[in-house]
Amino acid sequence: MPQHPPCTQWKNWLTRQALPLWSTAGYDRARKLYHERLTFDATPIALPQLRLMVQARQIATFCRAALDGVFNATDDALTCLHTVQSRYWHSDGQPGWIFALGPNGQPASTLRDLYAHAFILYAYAWAYKLSGDTGLLDVAQQTTLEIEQIFAAPHGGYLDTVPPQDTLRRQNPHMHLLEAYLSLFEVTNDSFYLERAQSLVTLAQSRFMHPGTGMLLEFFTADWRPLKPIGQNWVEPGHLFEWSWLLQEYARLNPTHQATPTTLAEHLLQTGLQYGTRHDTVFDGITDTGILTAASTRIWPQTELMRLLATRQQVGPAHQPNQTEATLLHALTQAFFTTYAPPHLQGGWVDRYEANGEIAVDHMPASSLYHIYGAARCNLECTGPGVTRE
């Protein structure tokens, strides 16, 4: 790929390759739903289930691309949302959204999944921003109330699934629920969502962060105690960066916030950089004492760090952006376009690599586009007035 400034490189790849690919080969016009996977030659892969989470991510991404003036596939995204609402919401006669559809368009899994509910709220936020359809806000508010009805758990926070699949508690779906509430607050200015975002930030500060190590843990007991002794708990560097960005967003959107979220955001970034990265790579896993345990890599942690660094270059943290971060961002960007999204895939990507550098997958998952576009849009600031920071 020719050497261009990162903003031009991102814009060319998005508008000429990635978004066209995933809105054509990646969209099933007969069913009005997005495909979950493509082969490396862009052929759709038939699966026994289409998960709500993937539909929601694709809808949100194409809505945001239209809002940003980058790519217009509005009709398909909003049509898909209409299909999703009719097929997934209350489709078994119960509150909430089913987990997945089968090939026949009927429910394949009626499990209620908090992670998927978070993403459908996220999709409704950006679909409302794009369309102005206030009926979408009615669904979002009702879904929020259903989340509290379905998933409410003792000791704070929410169950991962209903019915529960195990006794573990996980930070990850709560993180994406925070993202959804912040997005809904951003597009509505409704304190109904900010209050819920505030409660999730408080939960993160009090429960997700290990008091002995300062690490953000992934798994907990039912009463939010660390699942394992110190030194044995699983930590994902990508989530350190994702939480850091979300806490910065929370601080931006909430003018009455305390200093703690901003300080914590900085701590998570520096911890992730120190223990979870090497040169231009973010690794999959470390322990809560910083020992590398998974030297494999996935595309999404790379994009989360790129998004965070690009945002800091634009608006600055408490201190001024530094050259070290700019250099790292450039290295990550070049690695993305050579290793994870090489030119021969023409808008596609390799989702994961083994620790020895071998490709670990035989397909391209649509779900990665959400992460990729999040990083891309924060690198498009220098392309002109078509993209503005929200």
Side-chain angles (χ1 to χ4, degrees):
M1 180 175 288
Q3 293 299 305
H4 298 293
C7 55
T8 303
Q9 197 171 15
W10 277 112
K11 184 176 183 182
N12 289 343
W13 183 77
L14 282 173
T15 60
R16 299 176 185 177
Q17 296 187 42
L19 295 174
L21 171 67
W22 293 94
S23 62
T24 54
Y27 186 66
D28 185 339
R29 297 196 173 278
R31 289 193 290 180
K32 298 180 174 58
L33 295 166
Y34 290 99
H35 293 295
E36 283 218 12
R37 296 178 180 178
L38 301 177
T39 65
F40 287 124
D41 63 1
T43 301
I45 299 173
L47 296 172
Q49 295 188 354
L50 286 178
R51 293 171 293 166
L52 173 65
M53 178 271 287
V54 175
Q55 301 303 312
R57 283 189 175 192
Q58 296 299 81
I59 293 164
T61 297
F62 282 106
C63 286
R64 300 206 81 182
L67 285 162
D68 291 337
V70 173
F71 188 81
N72 187 357
T74 297
D75 289 346
D76 289 340
L78 296 180
T79 296
C80 180
L81 182 61
H82 177 77
T83 301
V84 166
Q85 182 176 315
S86 66
R87 297 286 182 87
Y88 290 80
W89 193 38
H90 300 170
S91 57
D92 60 351
Q94 300 299 315
W97 298 70
I98 66 168
F99 182 74
L101 285 183
N104 62 356
Q106 297 302 308
S109 171
T110 58
L111 183 82
R112 271 27 180 199
D113 179 64
L114 181 64
Y115 191 94
H117 278 69
F119 273 107
I120 199 63
L121 285 178
Y122 181 74
Y124 271 81
W126 298 112
Y128 163 70
K129 177 72 171 179
L130 178 61
S131 69
D133 180 358
T134 57
L136 300 180
L137 295 184
D138 295 336
V139 177
Q141 186 174 78
Q142 187 171 344
T143 297
T144 299
L145 296 175
E146 289 176 342
I147 287 172
E148 294 170 358
Q149 171 191 349
I150 297 167
F151 297 100
H155 310 292
Y158 301 98
L159 301 172
D160 292 347
T161 62
V162 176
Q165 304 300 291
D166 54 41
T167 61
L168 299 183
R169 306 293 295 279
R170 295 169 175 81
Q171 70 76 21
N172 194 13
H174 295 77
M175 177 185 71
H176 288 297
L177 191 58
L178 171 61
E179 178 183 32
Y181 288 153
L182 289 177
S183 296
L184 283 162
F185 175 67
E186 180 161 12
V187 302
T188 65
N189 200 35
D190 188 338
S191 61
F192 176 83
Y193 297 110
L194 181 59
E195 290 166 3
R196 284 158 176 80
Q198 289 172 329
S199 70
L200 288 168
V201 170
T202 299
L203 181 70
Q205 292 171 326
S206 63
R207 299 294 194 178
F208 301 165
M209 311 298 170
H210 195 298
T213 65
M215 285 283 194
L216 173 81
L217 307 189
E218 292 291 327
F219 305 112
F220 303 84
T221 62
D223 58 354
W224 287 117
R225 287 179 289 112
L227 188 62
K228 296 182 178 181
I230 289 180
Q232 300 178 29
N233 289 286
W234 177 255
V235 174
E236 294 193 17
H239 284 154
L240 302 183
F241 302 133
E242 202 163 0
W243 266 105
S244 181
W245 186 82
L246 280 170
L247 289 170
Q248 289 186 14
E249 286 293 282
Y250 172 76
R252 176 177 69 85
L253 293 167
N254 184 10
T256 62
H257 81 281
Q258 301 297 311
T260 304
T262 302
T263 302
L264 183 56
E266 184 69 20
H267 167 75
L268 291 173
L269 168 61
Q270 298 305 326
T271 300
L273 290 176
Q274 180 177 355
Y275 298 108
T277 67
R278 187 175 302 153
H279 305 305
D280 58 2
T281 299
V282 182
F283 296 117
D284 282 345
I286 59 177
T287 69
D288 51 341
T289 52
I291 304 300
L292 180 66
T293 55
S296 54
T297 65
R298 293 193 64 184
I299 196 170
W300 73 261
Q302 323 306 315
T303 64
E304 290 303 325
L305 180 53
M306 283 190 281
R307 176 174 67 170
L308 179 57
L309 293 176
T311 302
R312 288 164 65 88
Q313 292 297 309
Q314 295 152 16
V315 301
H319 58 80
Q320 291 298 312
N322 59 63
Q323 187 58 43
T324 300
E325 290 184 8
T327 300
L328 176 57
L329 176 59
H330 177 78
L332 286 162
T333 302
Q334 297 315 304
F336 177 86
F337 285 114
T338 55
T339 303
Y340 295 95
H344 74 273
L345 292 182
Q346 299 181 341
W349 44 76
V350 178
D351 183 70
R352 62 179 70 194
Y353 285 87
E354 303 286 5
N356 63 6
E358 293 184 1
I359 295 176
V361 289
D362 62 357
H363 64 273
M364 304 187 295
S367 58
S368 300
L369 183 60
Y370 147 82
H371 288 285
I372 294 167
Y373 191 75
R377 70 185 307 274
C378 289
N379 280 280
L380 290 172
E381 296 292 330
C382 58
T383 63
V387 175
T388 56
R389 187 171 187 274
E390 296 167 338

